[in-house]
Amino acid sequence: PNSGEITFLFQKPLWIESICEDDSGLLWIGTRESGIMCYDPLRKKSIYHAYNPDDSLTISNNRVRQISKDKAGNLLIIAGRNLNKYDQKAQKFIRLGEKDGFPVNIFQVTEDEKGNLWMSTLTGTVKYNLRTNQFKNFVNITGRGHKTRSGELYFVNLDGITRFHPDSLVDNPYIPQIVITSFRKFEN
C-alpha cells in the first residue's frame, strides 16, 4: 500500500492474538479461534492452518496465543497452551508436548541471547537448553516475558515485575541432606 493507504486483508472478522514475519517475508497471523493464517503480501494470497485431531502434523489447537521466530528462523507457536514448531522445509507443524519433556500450560515463549527458550507457564517459567535438550524450572518466575536489547529478561505478572540476565543465574551446587525426623506406622 501507498503511504496513508489502508488495506484490509480479511473477508471475515478474526480476533488476532499474534503476528510474525518469517525470513521469506510471509506474515503468520495467529487467531483466537481460527488457527493460523499465512499471508503472502507479494502474491496477496492466504493459506489457513487449523487444528485437525486426525492429523498430528497440524497445530495443536486453533487458539494461537503467540507466534515468534527463533534465531535459527524457525517459527515457535503457542497454540492452546502447547508449544509448536513449524518446519518450513517440510511445511508441517511439530507438536512439542509432555511426551517430549515440555511443560503444559505454556502461554508465552521468549528466547535469550544463547538460544535458550524461556517458557512461561501457570506454575513458573521453564528454561529449555536447545543444545543439551535439558529443562530447568524456575517456580518463582511467572508471567509474560520480554527480552531487552541488553539480553535482560523481564517477566510481568499481577505481583509485579521480575528482571534478570540469564547469564547471572548460578545453580546452587549444594544438595541438602534428607533427614527423617519421625516415622509412624498405621497412624490415622
Side-chain angles (χ1 to χ4, degrees):
N2 296 326
S3 179
E5 182 180 328
I6 297 175
T7 303
F8 293 97
L9 304 176
F10 311 110
Q11 297 301 318
K12 63 179 184 176
L14 294 175
W15 186 319
I16 296 173
E17 295 266 341
S18 184
I19 187 167
C20 180
E21 182 179 14
D22 71 14
D23 290 340
S24 62
L26 299 174
L27 295 176
W28 293 80
I29 301 161
T31 70
R32 176 164 274 185
E33 298 171 347
S34 303
I36 296 174
M37 183 183 79
C38 178
Y39 177 69
D40 184 340
L42 296 177
R43 295 188 182 110
K44 298 187 183 332
K45 291 189 177 189
S46 301
I47 297 173
Y48 277 91
H49 299 277
Y51 168 68
N52 180 346
D54 299 323
D55 185 355
S56 64
L57 302 178
T58 63
I59 58 174
S60 60
N61 192 295
N62 279 333
R63 180 163 189 190
V64 179
R65 297 173 178 274
Q66 180 190 4
I67 303 174
S68 61
K69 188 173 62 169
D70 68 12
K71 288 180 184 242
N74 299 307
L75 291 177
L76 301 174
I77 300 147
I78 305 298
R81 294 209 181 256
N82 296 300
L83 182 61
N84 297 252
K85 183 176 172 181
Y86 183 68
D87 182 336
Q88 290 185 298
K89 290 179 184 170
Q91 295 186 354
K92 65 180 181 178
F93 293 88
I94 301 165
R95 298 175 187 173
L96 302 169
E98 274 187 291
K99 66 180 178 10
D100 307 302
F102 282 82
V104 292
N105 294 320
I106 301 170
F107 56 88
Q108 185 180 8
V109 63
T110 304
E111 184 180 22
D112 69 18
E113 294 294 315
K114 292 185 177 175
N116 297 307
L117 300 182
W118 293 80
M119 295 169 279
S120 300
T121 72
L122 295 175
T123 57
T125 295
V126 178
K127 174 186 170 187
Y128 173 61
N129 185 316
L130 293 163
R131 293 177 306 283
T132 63
N133 200 34
Q134 292 182 324
F135 296 88
K136 181 150 182 83
N137 293 310
F138 295 87
V139 178
N140 295 330
I141 303 172
T142 62
R144 296 253 178 219
H146 174 75
K147 182 185 71 152
T148 66
R149 283 185 231 155
S150 68
E152 285 185 312
L153 296 179
Y154 284 78
F155 288 89
V156 180
N157 60 40
L158 295 175
D159 295 325
I161 299 174
T162 302
R163 178 193 78 167
F164 62 93
H165 196 287
D167 291 344
S168 69
L169 298 178
V170 179
D171 285 336
N172 183 353
Y174 176 73
I175 299 173
Q177 184 178 1
I178 297 174
V179 177
I180 298 174
T181 57
S182 72
F183 179 80
R184 294 186 181 137
K185 188 175 177 182
F186 304 118
E187 183 176 334
N188 292 334

